């Protein structure tokens, strides 16, 4: 199978070092989806896929949540393939600021249960070609998510889904200058969404139906002052 281009929904079994070593032989692989990676397997897994120079899309799910994190062995010379254009990571990340800047070709990133701090969000925002960012469940650890001026210069789509415990999402002046679509969905803890007027290229907002009347009125008031008077609001 060394000519295989796509391998998805692979679950590494317990004590699956043999399976991981076989990844090194799939030199033509362009898309890989893997689950069941554990702390014990982490270093060997990242080392194995580091040799896949044609890999463009990677999805990795951590087997269990623990203090060490999905990327506990990344950094220095041990990195995901620099060829990656799409990356999904499901599990706690503890060293993202030490390696994410190496993925200069990345255009799509999905983070699930990553428990990132504000500094890690800033690091993600420095990726020059990142166009699509999705954050789900406990991808951010904090009550207020602030999107500042400077990062995310190329982002056109942002999806924030089921980010429980986040009560405030704030866009500052100059944030995300190319953002066209914003999706906010699936969590009732959100009290305030502010700074929409600074998203000057915004075309569409998708909101969950269960947000309060006060919340929805606030969004409408902000859009009334938006430089693009044709921003559409879709309710799921």
């Amino acid at each position: 199978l060394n000519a295989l281009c796509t391998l998805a929904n692979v679950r590494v079994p317990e004590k699956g070092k043999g399976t991981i070593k076989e990844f090194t032989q799939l030199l033509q692989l362009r898309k890989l989806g893997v689950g069941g990676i554990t702390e014990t397997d982490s270093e060997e897994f990242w080392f194995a896929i580091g040799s896949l120079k044609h890999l463009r899309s990677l999805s990795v799910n951590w087997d269990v949540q623990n203090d060490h994190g999905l990327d506990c062995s990344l950094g220095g010379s041990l990195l995901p393939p620099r060829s990656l254009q799409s990356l999904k990571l499901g599990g706690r990340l503890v060293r993202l600021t030490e390696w994410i800047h190496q993925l200069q070709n990345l255009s799509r990133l999905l983070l699930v249960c990553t428990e990132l701090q504000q500094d890690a969000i800033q690091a993600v925002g420095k990726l020059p070609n990142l166009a699509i960012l999705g954050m789900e469940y406990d991808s951010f650890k904090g009550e207020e998510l602030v999107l500042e001026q400077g990062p995310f210069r190329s982002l056109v789509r942002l999806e924030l889904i089921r980010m429980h415990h986040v009560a405030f999402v704030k866009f500052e002046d100059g944030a995300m200058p190319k953002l066209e679509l914003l999706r906010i969905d699936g969590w009732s803890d959100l009290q305030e969404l502010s700074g929409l007027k600074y998203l000057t290229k915004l075309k569409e907002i998708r909101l969950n139906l269960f947000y309060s009347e006060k919340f929805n009125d606030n969004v409408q008031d902000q859009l009334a002052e938006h430089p693009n008077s044709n921003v559409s609001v879709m309710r799921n």
Side-chain angles (χ1 to χ4, degrees), residues 4 23 73 79 81 91 129 138 155 205 212 220:
L4 197 66
F23 291 148
S73 58
L79 299 166
N129 295 303
D138 295 323
L155 203 71
I205 298 178
S212 68
Q220 291 295 342

Side-chain angles (χ1 to χ4, degrees), residues 67 85 133 236:
D67 292 336
Q85 297 173 359
L133 174 62
N236 301 322

Side-chain angles (χ1 to χ4, degrees), residues 122-163:
Q122 294 295 97
V124 170
K126 293 179 181 178
L127 294 171
N129 295 303
L130 190 65
I132 300 173
L133 174 62
M135 299 177 64
E136 297 186 12
Y137 294 97
D138 295 323
S139 54
F140 177 74
K141 194 172 184 179
E143 188 179 43
E144 183 178 34
L145 175 61
V146 179
L147 290 314
E148 302 176 357
Q149 180 182 12
F152 299 107
R153 307 300 295 178
S154 300
L155 203 71
V156 296
R157 180 173 183 141
L158 175 64
E159 298 190 353
L160 306 177
I161 301 172
R162 300 182 185 92
M163 292 180 58

Side-chain angles (χ1 to χ4, degrees), residues 7-119:
L7 183 61
N9 301 320
V10 176
R11 182 167 182 83
V12 175
E14 189 176 353
K15 299 179 181 179
K17 293 187 182 295
T19 301
I20 290 174
K21 285 181 180 178
E22 289 186 281
F23 291 148
T24 62
Q25 301 174 40
L26 304 178
L27 297 178
Q28 301 304 313
L29 207 60
R30 298 178 63 86
K31 183 175 182 179
L32 174 63
V34 181
I37 302 298
T38 67
E39 178 191 344
T40 305
D41 304 325
S42 176
E43 184 173 359
E44 191 160 359
F45 169 75
W46 291 114
F47 180 81
I49 68 165
S51 61
L52 304 180
K53 305 304 181 184
H54 297 289
L55 198 64
R56 298 293 183 267
S57 176
L58 174 65
S59 173
V60 185
N61 288 304
W62 194 240
D63 191 45
V64 293
Q65 294 285 25
N66 62 59
D67 292 336
H68 295 280
L70 176 59
D71 62 343
C72 59
S73 58
L74 288 178
S77 61
L78 187 60
L79 299 166
R82 289 183 171 90
S83 57
L84 285 176
Q85 297 173 359
S86 176
L87 177 62
K88 175 188 175 183
L89 295 171
R92 188 168 182 258
L93 299 176
V94 295
R95 303 184 67 181
L96 180 136
T97 57
E98 299 178 33
W99 57 267
I100 192 67
H101 62 282
Q102 301 284 353
L103 303 183
Q104 296 287 297
N105 295 314
L106 204 64
S107 62
R108 184 185 186 108
L109 178 63
L110 175 58
L111 303 168
V112 182
C113 299
T114 50
E115 298 185 11
L116 296 181
Q117 305 281 354
Q118 189 69 47
D119 63 331

